[in-house]
Amino acid sequence: MRFGIVVFPGSNCDHDAYHAAKHVLGQEAELLWHKDRDLKGSDCIILPGGFAHGDYLRTGAIARFSPIMQSVKEFAAAGGPVLGICNGFQVLLEAGFLPGAMLRNRSVRFQCEHVFVRVEQTDTPFTLACTRGQVLKIPIAHGEGNYFAAPGVIEQLERERRVIFRYVNASAEAVESANPNGSIAAIGGICNEERNVVALMPHPERACELALGSSDGLVIFESVIQAIRSGRCAATLRHAQGRPEPSRGASPPAAALVQ
Amino acid sequence: MKARVYVTLKPSVFDPQGKTITDALQSIGYAGVEDVRQGKYFELELATTTPEATRSMAADIADKLLANPVIESYRVEVV
């Protein structure tokens, strides 16, 4: 399958995501410049970490106006899987793909450390290879990861099981001391109503090789590879992108599996 | 014409920076400082000719870009 990784001016984890997709997972990967509109036949879009447009004004506030975001919006509306990582999460919030906003960390510091997140739900393209309650050790690196939304919105997210990752300790307990940034309800990642747009503050792409301290992030990418291979997302996508029928590589024809 | 836009966090939203500044002020001897809220201030130079058009354009700009309605509110002043 093919990962499309959006590059904003100031993205700095685009190549980490590219490396994870291409060299660790052996998939195709394309970097997509933010001023272009062509998603180059991507099966999955990643909005990577970094400091898009220098994070000026607010994190993600300017990136949402980039031309490629219109294509990403159409891709997501057609059911395509979109993953926002860190700054990518902030962009998805500002662009209205997901509810809420990010405040400055409770510590008022940029925090760069390994944290534990618990996988709360497995019915998204990015967590379907996880087990519910699985704890992943993944690094964070952010100054504005303090997730905020109005109480009614938090209630709705919980009710609709849209909190996908929660900060916990190594024993999977959501205790206050395990919440690195002050996020409401220890929220580390959420999804949209249709569940195909998922975003999280921790960096799974930086936790794909043991040499980097953890390979727990792999399962996020393996999930979406499995989702695409099983045709969960592909049929709608091909339709949306006007792509010809034959799929690449060893992937089975998606339409057959969908029906 | 000129417009000033003040963007502030909504009262219900915690302001970690404001809290840090409050603590700093108290620690350097301003015991009477009870709270500080940090915001943003913008000066806009607009090619408008009436106060109404200036206000309306500044508000539009604030809605679209300068403020995030989830956490912030804004106030416009026409100069």
Coordinates of all heavy atoms in Angstrom, one line a residue, chain A residues 106-189:
Chain A
R106 N 0.4 21.8 30.7 CA 0.3 22.3 32.1 C 1.6 22.7 32.7 O 1.7 23.7 33.5 CB -0.3 21.1 32.8 CG -0.5 21.2 34.3 CD -1.4 20.0 34.8 NE -0.8 18.7 34.5 CZ -1.3 17.5 34.8 NH1 -2.4 17.5 35.4 NH2 -0.7 16.4 34.5
S107 N 2.7 22.1 32.3 CA 4.0 22.4 32.8 C 4.6 23.6 32.2 O 5.6 24.1 32.7 CB 5.0 21.2 32.5 OG 5.1 21.1 31.1
V108 N 4.0 24.2 31.1 CA 4.5 25.3 30.3 C 5.9 25.0 29.8 O 6.7 25.9 29.6 CB 4.5 26.6 31.1 CG1 4.3 27.8 30.1 CG2 3.4 26.7 32.1
R109 N 6.2 23.7 29.6 CA 7.4 23.3 29.0 C 7.2 22.4 27.8 O 6.2 21.8 27.7 CB 8.2 22.5 30.0 CG 8.9 23.3 31.1 CD 9.9 22.4 31.9 NE 9.2 21.2 32.5 CZ 9.6 20.0 32.2 NH1 10.6 19.7 31.4 NH2 9.0 18.9 32.7
F110 N 8.2 22.4 26.9 CA 8.2 21.5 25.8 C 8.6 20.2 26.4 O 9.7 20.1 27.0 CB 9.1 21.9 24.7 CG 9.1 21.1 23.5 CD1 8.3 21.5 22.4 CD2 9.8 19.9 23.4 CE1 8.2 20.7 21.2 CE2 9.7 19.1 22.2 CZ 8.9 19.5 21.2
Q111 N 7.8 19.1 26.2 CA 8.1 17.9 26.9 C 8.5 16.8 25.8 O 7.8 16.6 24.9 CB 6.9 17.4 27.7 CG 6.9 18.1 29.0 CD 5.6 17.9 29.8 OE1 4.7 18.7 29.8 NE2 5.6 16.7 30.4
C112 N 9.6 16.2 26.1 CA 10.1 15.2 25.2 C 10.5 13.9 26.0 O 11.5 14.0 26.7 CB 11.4 15.8 24.5 SG 11.9 14.9 23.0
E113 N 9.6 13.0 26.0 CA 9.8 11.8 26.8 C 9.0 10.6 26.4 O 8.0 10.8 25.6 CB 9.5 12.2 28.3 CG 8.0 12.5 28.4 CD 7.7 13.4 29.7 OE1 8.4 14.4 29.9 OE2 6.7 13.0 30.4
H114 N 9.3 9.4 26.8 CA 8.5 8.3 26.5 C 7.3 8.3 27.5 O 7.4 8.6 28.7 CB 9.3 7.0 26.7 CG 10.0 6.5 25.5 ND1 11.3 6.8 25.2 CD2 9.5 5.9 24.4 CE1 11.6 6.3 24.0 NE2 10.6 5.8 23.5
V115 N 6.1 8.0 26.9 CA 4.9 7.9 27.8 C 4.2 6.6 27.4 O 4.6 5.9 26.5 CB 3.9 9.1 27.6 CG1 4.6 10.4 27.9 CG2 3.4 9.1 26.1
F116 N 3.2 6.3 28.2 CA 2.4 5.1 28.0 C 1.0 5.5 27.6 O 0.5 6.4 28.2 CB 2.4 4.2 29.2 CG 3.7 3.6 29.6 CD1 4.4 4.2 30.6 CD2 4.2 2.5 28.9 CE1 5.7 3.7 31.0 CE2 5.5 2.0 29.3 CZ 6.2 2.5 30.3
V117 N 0.5 5.0 26.5 CA -0.9 5.2 26.2 C -1.6 3.9 26.1 O -1.0 2.9 25.7 CB -1.1 6.0 24.8 CG1 -0.7 7.4 25.0 CG2 -0.4 5.3 23.7
R118 N -2.9 3.9 26.5 CA -3.7 2.7 26.5 C -4.6 2.8 25.2 O -5.2 3.9 25.0 CB -4.5 2.6 27.7 CG -5.3 1.3 28.0 CD -5.9 1.4 29.3 NE -7.0 2.4 29.4 CZ -7.4 3.0 30.6 NH1 -6.9 2.6 31.7 NH2 -8.3 3.9 30.5
V119 N -4.7 1.7 24.5 CA -5.5 1.7 23.3 C -7.0 1.5 23.8 O -7.3 0.4 24.3 CB -5.1 0.6 22.3 CG1 -6.1 0.6 21.1 CG2 -3.7 0.8 21.9
E120 N -7.8 2.5 23.7 CA -9.2 2.4 24.2 C -10.2 1.7 23.3 O -11.1 1.1 23.8 CB -9.7 3.8 24.6 CG -8.8 4.6 25.6 CD -8.9 4.0 27.0 OE1 -8.2 3.0 27.2 OE2 -9.6 4.6 27.8
Q121 N -9.9 1.9 22.0 CA -10.9 1.3 21.0 C -10.1 0.7 19.9 O -9.1 1.3 19.5 CB -11.8 2.4 20.5 CG -12.5 3.2 21.5 CD -13.5 2.4 22.4 OE1 -14.0 1.3 21.9 NE2 -13.8 2.9 23.6
T122 N -10.6 -0.4 19.3 CA -9.8 -1.0 18.2 C -10.6 -1.0 16.9 O -10.2 -1.6 15.9 CB -9.5 -2.5 18.6 OG1 -10.7 -3.2 18.9 CG2 -8.6 -2.6 19.8
D123 N -11.8 -0.3 16.9 CA -12.5 -0.3 15.6 C -12.2 1.0 14.8 O -13.1 1.7 14.4 CB -14.0 -0.4 15.9 CG -14.5 0.6 16.9 OD1 -13.7 1.3 17.5 OD2 -15.8 0.8 16.9
T124 N -10.9 1.3 14.7 CA -10.5 2.3 13.7 C -9.4 1.7 12.8 O -8.8 0.7 13.2 CB -9.8 3.5 14.5 OG1 -8.5 3.2 14.8 CG2 -10.6 3.9 15.7
P125 N -9.2 2.3 11.7 CA -8.2 1.7 10.8 C -6.8 1.7 11.4 O -5.9 1.0 10.9 CB -8.2 2.5 9.5 CG -9.3 3.5 9.7 CD -9.9 3.4 11.1
F126 N -6.5 2.5 12.4 CA -5.2 2.6 13.0 C -5.0 1.8 14.3 O -3.9 1.8 14.9 CB -4.9 4.1 13.2 CG -4.8 4.9 11.9 CD1 -5.9 5.6 11.5 CD2 -3.7 4.8 11.1 CE1 -5.9 6.3 10.3 CE2 -3.7 5.5 9.9 CZ -4.8 6.2 9.5
T127 N -6.1 1.2 14.7 CA -5.9 0.4 16.0 C -6.5 -1.0 15.8 O -6.6 -1.7 16.8 CB -6.6 1.1 17.2 OG1 -8.0 1.4 16.8 CG2 -5.9 2.4 17.6
L128 N -6.9 -1.4 14.6 CA -7.6 -2.7 14.5 C -6.7 -3.9 14.8 O -7.1 -5.0 15.1 CB -8.3 -2.8 13.2 CG -7.6 -2.8 11.9 CD1 -6.9 -4.1 11.5 CD2 -8.6 -2.4 10.8
A129 N -5.3 -3.7 14.7 CA -4.4 -4.8 15.0 C -4.0 -4.8 16.5 O -3.2 -5.6 16.9 CB -3.2 -4.7 14.1
C130 N -4.6 -3.8 17.2 CA -4.3 -3.8 18.7 C -5.3 -4.6 19.4 O -6.3 -5.0 18.9 CB -4.4 -2.3 19.2 SG -3.4 -1.1 18.4
T131 N -5.0 -4.9 20.7 CA -6.0 -5.4 21.6 C -6.5 -4.3 22.4 O -5.7 -3.4 22.8 CB -5.5 -6.5 22.4 OG1 -4.3 -6.1 23.1 CG2 -5.2 -7.8 21.6
R132 N -7.8 -4.3 22.8 CA -8.3 -3.3 23.6 C -7.6 -3.3 25.0 O -7.4 -4.3 25.6 CB -9.8 -3.5 23.8 CG -10.5 -2.3 24.1 CD -12.0 -2.4 23.8 NE -12.6 -1.2 24.5 CZ -13.9 -1.2 24.9 NH1 -14.6 -2.2 24.8 NH2 -14.3 -0.1 25.5
G133 N -7.2 -2.1 25.4 CA -6.5 -2.0 26.7 C -5.0 -2.2 26.6 O -4.3 -2.1 27.6
Q134 N -4.5 -2.5 25.4 CA -3.1 -2.7 25.2 C -2.4 -1.4 25.5 O -2.8 -0.3 25.2 CB -2.9 -3.0 23.7 CG -1.4 -3.3 23.3 CD -1.3 -3.8 21.8 OE1 -2.3 -4.0 21.2 NE2 -0.1 -3.9 21.4
V135 N -1.2 -1.5 26.2 CA -0.5 -0.3 26.5 C 0.7 -0.2 25.6 O 1.5 -1.1 25.4 CB 0.0 -0.4 28.0 CG1 0.9 0.8 28.3 CG2 -1.2 -0.4 28.9
L136 N 0.9 1.0 25.0 CA 2.0 1.3 24.1 C 2.9 2.3 24.7 O 2.5 3.3 25.2 CB 1.4 1.8 22.7 CG 0.3 1.0 22.0 CD1 -0.1 1.8 20.8 CD2 0.8 -0.4 21.7
K137 N 4.2 2.0 24.6 CA 5.2 2.9 25.0 C 5.7 3.7 23.8 O 6.3 3.2 22.9 CB 6.4 2.2 25.6 CG 7.5 3.1 26.2 CD 8.7 2.2 26.7 CE 9.9 3.0 27.0 NZ 11.1 2.2 27.1
I138 N 5.3 5.0 23.8 CA 5.6 5.8 22.6 C 6.1 7.2 23.1 O 5.5 7.7 24.1 CB 4.3 6.0 21.7 CG1 3.7 4.6 21.4 CG2 4.5 6.8 20.5 CD1 2.5 4.7 20.4
P139 N 7.0 7.8 22.4 CA 7.5 9.1 22.9 C 6.5 10.3 22.5 O 5.9 10.2 21.5 CB 8.8 9.3 22.2 CG 8.7 8.5 20.9 CD 7.8 7.3 21.2
I140 N 6.5 11.3 23.4 CA 5.9 12.5 23.0 C 7.0 13.6 22.8 O 8.1 13.4 23.3 CB 4.9 13.1 24.1 CG1 5.6 13.2 25.5 CG2 3.7 12.2 24.2 CD1 4.9 14.0 26.5
A141 N 6.6 14.6 22.1 CA 7.6 15.8 21.9 C 6.7 17.0 21.6 O 6.5 17.3 20.4 CB 8.6 15.5 20.8
H142 N 6.2 17.6 22.6 CA 5.3 18.8 22.3 C 5.2 19.8 23.4 O 5.5 19.4 24.6 CB 3.9 18.3 21.9 CG 3.2 17.6 23.0 ND1 2.9 16.2 22.9 CD2 2.8 18.0 24.2 CE1 2.3 15.8 24.1 NE2 2.2 16.9 24.9
G143 N 4.9 21.0 23.0 CA 4.7 22.1 24.0 C 3.2 22.4 24.2 O 2.8 22.9 25.2
E144 N 2.4 22.0 23.2 CA 1.0 22.3 23.2 C 0.2 21.0 23.0 O -0.2 20.7 21.8 CB 0.5 23.3 22.2 CG 0.8 24.7 22.6 CD 2.1 25.3 21.9 OE1 2.7 24.5 21.2 OE2 2.4 26.4 22.1
G145 N 0.1 20.2 24.0 CA -0.6 18.9 23.8 C -1.7 18.7 24.9 O -2.2 17.6 25.1
N146 N -2.0 19.8 25.5 CA -3.0 19.8 26.6 C -4.4 19.9 26.0 O -4.9 20.9 25.7 CB -2.7 21.0 27.5 CG -3.5 21.1 28.7 OD1 -4.5 20.4 28.8 ND2 -3.2 22.1 29.6
Y147 N -5.0 18.7 25.7 CA -6.2 18.6 25.0 C -7.4 19.2 25.8 O -7.6 18.9 26.9 CB -6.6 17.2 24.6 CG -7.9 17.1 23.8 CD1 -7.9 17.4 22.4 CD2 -9.1 16.7 24.4 CE1 -9.1 17.4 21.7 CE2 -10.2 16.6 23.7 CZ -10.2 17.0 22.3 OH -11.4 17.0 21.6
F148 N -8.1 20.1 25.1 CA -9.2 20.8 25.7 C -10.5 20.7 24.8 O -10.3 20.9 23.6 CB -8.9 22.3 26.0 CG -10.1 23.0 26.4 CD1 -10.4 23.1 27.8 CD2 -11.0 23.7 25.6 CE1 -11.5 23.8 28.3 CE2 -12.1 24.3 26.0 CZ -12.4 24.4 27.4
A149 N -11.6 20.5 25.4 CA -12.9 20.6 24.7 C -13.9 20.9 25.7 O -13.7 20.6 26.9 CB -13.2 19.4 23.9
A150 N -15.0 21.5 25.3 CA -16.1 21.8 26.3 C -16.6 20.5 26.9 O -16.6 19.5 26.2 CB -17.2 22.6 25.6
P151 N -17.1 20.6 28.1 CA -17.6 19.4 28.8 C -18.5 18.6 28.0 O -18.5 17.3 28.0 CB -18.2 19.9 30.1 CG -17.6 21.2 30.3 CD -17.2 21.8 29.0
G152 N -19.4 19.2 27.3 CA -20.4 18.5 26.4 C -19.7 17.7 25.3 O -20.2 16.6 25.0
V153 N -18.6 18.3 24.8 CA -17.9 17.6 23.7 C -17.2 16.4 24.3 O -17.1 15.3 23.6 CB -16.9 18.6 23.0 CG1 -16.1 17.9 22.0 CG2 -17.7 19.7 22.4
I154 N -16.6 16.5 25.4 CA -15.9 15.4 26.1 C -16.9 14.3 26.3 O -16.6 13.1 26.0 CB -15.2 15.9 27.4 CG1 -14.2 17.0 27.2 CG2 -14.6 14.7 28.1 CD1 -12.9 16.6 26.5
E155 N -18.0 14.6 26.9 CA -19.1 13.6 27.1 C -19.4 12.9 25.8 O -19.6 11.7 25.8 CB -20.3 14.3 27.6 CG -20.6 14.2 29.1 CD -21.8 15.1 29.5 OE1 -22.8 15.0 28.8 OE2 -21.5 16.0 30.4
Q156 N -19.6 13.7 24.8 CA -19.9 13.1 23.5 C -18.8 12.1 23.0 O -19.1 11.0 22.5 CB -20.2 14.2 22.5 CG -20.7 13.6 21.1 CD -20.8 14.7 20.1 OE1 -20.5 15.9 20.3 NE2 -21.3 14.3 18.9
L157 N -17.6 12.6 23.1 CA -16.5 11.7 22.7 C -16.4 10.4 23.4 O -16.2 9.3 22.9 CB -15.1 12.5 22.9 CG -14.8 13.6 21.9 CD1 -13.5 14.3 22.4 CD2 -14.7 13.1 20.5
E158 N -16.7 10.5 24.7 CA -16.7 9.3 25.6 C -17.9 8.4 25.2 O -17.7 7.2 25.0 CB -16.8 9.6 27.1 CG -15.6 10.5 27.6 CD -14.3 9.7 27.8 OE1 -14.3 8.5 27.4 OE2 -13.4 10.2 28.4
R159 N -19.0 9.0 25.0 CA -20.2 8.2 24.7 C -20.1 7.5 23.4 O -20.5 6.4 23.2 CB -21.4 9.2 24.7 CG -22.8 8.5 24.7 CD -23.9 9.5 24.9 NE -23.9 10.5 23.8 CZ -23.8 11.8 24.0 NH1 -23.5 12.3 25.2 NH2 -23.8 12.7 23.0
E160 N -19.5 8.2 22.4 CA -19.4 7.6 21.1 C -18.1 6.8 20.9 O -17.7 6.4 19.8 CB -19.4 8.7 20.0 CG -20.8 9.4 20.0 CD -20.8 10.6 19.1 OE1 -19.8 11.0 18.5 OE2 -21.9 11.2 18.9
R161 N -17.4 6.6 22.0 CA -16.2 5.8 22.1 C -15.1 6.3 21.1 O -14.5 5.6 20.3 CB -16.4 4.3 21.8 CG -17.4 3.6 22.7 CD -17.6 2.1 22.4 NE -18.0 2.0 21.0 CZ -17.2 1.6 20.0 NH1 -15.9 1.4 20.2 NH2 -17.6 1.5 18.8
R162 N -15.0 7.6 21.1 CA -14.0 8.3 20.2 C -12.7 8.7 20.9 O -11.9 9.3 20.2 CB -14.7 9.4 19.5 CG -15.8 9.0 18.5 CD -16.7 10.1 18.1 NE -16.0 11.2 17.6 CZ -16.5 12.4 17.3 NH1 -17.8 12.6 17.6 NH2 -15.8 13.4 16.8
V163 N -12.6 8.4 22.1 CA -11.3 8.5 22.8 C -10.5 7.2 22.4 O -10.9 6.2 22.9 CB -11.4 8.7 24.3 CG1 -10.0 8.8 24.9 CG2 -12.1 10.0 24.6
I164 N -9.5 7.3 21.6 CA -8.8 6.2 21.1 C -7.5 5.8 21.9 O -7.2 4.7 22.1 CB -8.4 6.3 19.6 CG1 -9.6 6.8 18.8 CG2 -7.8 5.1 19.0 CD1 -10.8 5.8 18.9
F165 N -6.9 6.9 22.4 CA -5.7 6.7 23.3 C -5.8 7.5 24.5 O -6.2 8.7 24.5 CB -4.4 7.1 22.5 CG -4.2 6.3 21.2 CD1 -4.5 6.9 20.0 CD2 -3.6 5.0 21.2 CE1 -4.3 6.2 18.8 CE2 -3.4 4.4 20.0 CZ -3.8 5.0 18.8
R166 N -5.4 6.9 25.7 CA -5.4 7.6 26.9 C -4.1 7.4 27.6 O -3.5 6.3 27.6 CB -6.6 7.1 27.8 CG -7.3 8.2 28.6 CD -8.3 7.6 29.5 NE -9.5 7.1 28.8 CZ -10.6 7.7 28.5 NH1 -10.7 9.0 28.8 NH2 -11.6 7.1 28.0
Y167 N -3.6 8.5 28.2 CA -2.3 8.4 28.9 C -2.5 7.6 30.2 O -3.4 7.9 30.9 CB -1.8 9.8 29.3 CG -1.5 10.7 28.1 CD1 -2.3 11.9 27.8 CD2 -0.5 10.4 27.2 CE1 -2.1 12.7 26.7 CE2 -0.2 11.3 26.1 CZ -1.0 12.4 25.9 OH -0.8 13.2 24.8
V168 N -1.6 6.7 30.3 CA -1.7 5.8 31.5 C -0.3 5.6 32.1 O 0.7 6.0 31.5 CB -2.3 4.4 31.2 CG1 -3.8 4.6 30.8 CG2 -1.5 3.7 30.1
N169 N -0.2 4.9 33.2 CA 1.1 4.5 33.7 C 1.5 3.1 33.1 O 0.6 2.5 32.3 CB 1.2 4.5 35.2 CG 0.2 3.5 35.8 OD1 -0.3 2.6 35.2 ND2 0.0 3.7 37.1
A170 N 2.6 2.5 33.4 CA 3.0 1.2 32.8 C 2.1 0.1 33.1 O 2.0 -0.9 32.4 CB 4.4 0.9 33.3
S171 N 1.3 0.3 34.2 CA 0.3 -0.7 34.6 C -1.1 -0.5 34.0 O -2.1 -1.0 34.5 CB 0.2 -0.8 36.1 OG 1.4 -0.7 36.7
A172 N -1.2 0.4 33.0 CA -2.4 0.7 32.3 C -3.4 1.5 33.1 O -4.6 1.5 32.8 CB -3.1 -0.6 31.8
E173 N -3.0 2.1 34.2 CA -3.9 2.9 35.0 C -3.8 4.4 34.6 O -2.7 5.0 34.5 CB -3.5 2.8 36.5 CG -3.6 1.4 37.0 CD -2.7 1.1 38.2 OE1 -1.7 1.9 38.4 OE2 -3.0 0.2 39.0
A174 N -5.0 5.0 34.4 CA -5.1 6.4 34.0 C -5.0 7.3 35.3 O -5.9 7.9 35.6 CB -6.3 6.7 33.2
V175 N -3.8 7.3 35.9 CA -3.6 8.1 37.1 C -3.1 9.5 36.6 O -2.5 9.6 35.6 CB -2.6 7.5 38.0 CG1 -3.2 6.2 38.6 CG2 -1.3 7.2 37.4
E176 N -3.3 10.5 37.5 CA -3.0 11.9 37.1 C -1.5 12.0 36.8 O -1.1 12.8 35.9 CB -3.4 12.8 38.3 CG -3.6 14.3 37.9 CD -4.4 14.5 36.7 OE1 -5.4 13.8 36.4 OE2 -4.0 15.4 35.9
S177 N -0.7 11.3 37.6 CA 0.8 11.5 37.4 C 1.3 11.0 36.0 O 2.4 11.3 35.6 CB 1.5 10.8 38.5 OG 1.2 9.4 38.5
A178 N 0.4 10.2 35.4 CA 0.8 9.6 34.1 C 0.3 10.5 32.9 O 0.6 10.3 31.8 CB 0.2 8.2 33.9
N179 N -0.4 11.6 33.3 CA -0.9 12.5 32.3 C 0.2 13.6 32.0 O 0.4 14.4 32.9 CB -2.2 13.2 32.8 CG -2.8 14.1 31.8 OD1 -2.2 14.6 30.8 ND2 -4.1 14.4 32.0
P180 N 0.9 13.6 30.9 CA 2.1 14.4 30.7 C 1.8 15.9 30.5 O 2.7 16.7 30.7 CB 2.8 13.8 29.5 CG 1.7 13.2 28.7 CD 0.6 12.7 29.7
N181 N 0.6 16.2 30.1 CA 0.4 17.6 29.7 C -0.9 18.3 30.2 O -1.1 19.4 30.0 CB 0.3 17.6 28.1 CG -0.6 16.5 27.6 OD1 -1.6 16.2 28.2 ND2 -0.2 16.0 26.4
G182 N -1.7 17.5 31.0 CA -2.9 18.1 31.6 C -4.1 17.9 30.7 O -5.2 18.5 31.1
S183 N -4.0 17.1 29.7 CA -5.2 16.9 28.9 C -6.4 16.4 29.7 O -6.3 15.6 30.6 CB -4.9 15.8 27.8 OG -4.0 16.2 26.9
I184 N -7.6 17.0 29.3 CA -8.8 16.6 30.0 C -9.0 15.1 29.8 O -8.8 14.5 28.7 CB -10.0 17.3 29.3 CG1 -9.9 18.8 29.7 CG2 -11.3 16.7 29.8 CD1 -11.1 19.7 29.2
A185 N -9.4 14.4 30.8 CA -9.7 12.9 30.8 C -8.5 12.1 30.3 O -8.6 11.0 29.8 CB -10.9 12.6 30.0
A186 N -7.3 12.7 30.4 CA -6.0 12.1 30.0 C -6.1 11.6 28.5 O -5.5 10.6 28.1 CB -5.7 10.9 30.9
I187 N -6.8 12.5 27.7 CA -6.9 12.1 26.3 C -5.6 12.3 25.5 O -5.1 13.4 25.5 CB -8.1 12.9 25.7 CG1 -9.4 12.4 26.3 CG2 -8.1 12.9 24.2 CD1 -10.6 13.3 25.9
G188 N -5.2 11.3 24.9 CA -4.0 11.3 24.1 C -4.2 11.2 22.6 O -3.4 11.6 21.8
G189 N -5.4 10.7 22.3 CA -5.8 10.6 20.9 C -7.3 10.3 20.7 O -7.9 9.7 21.6

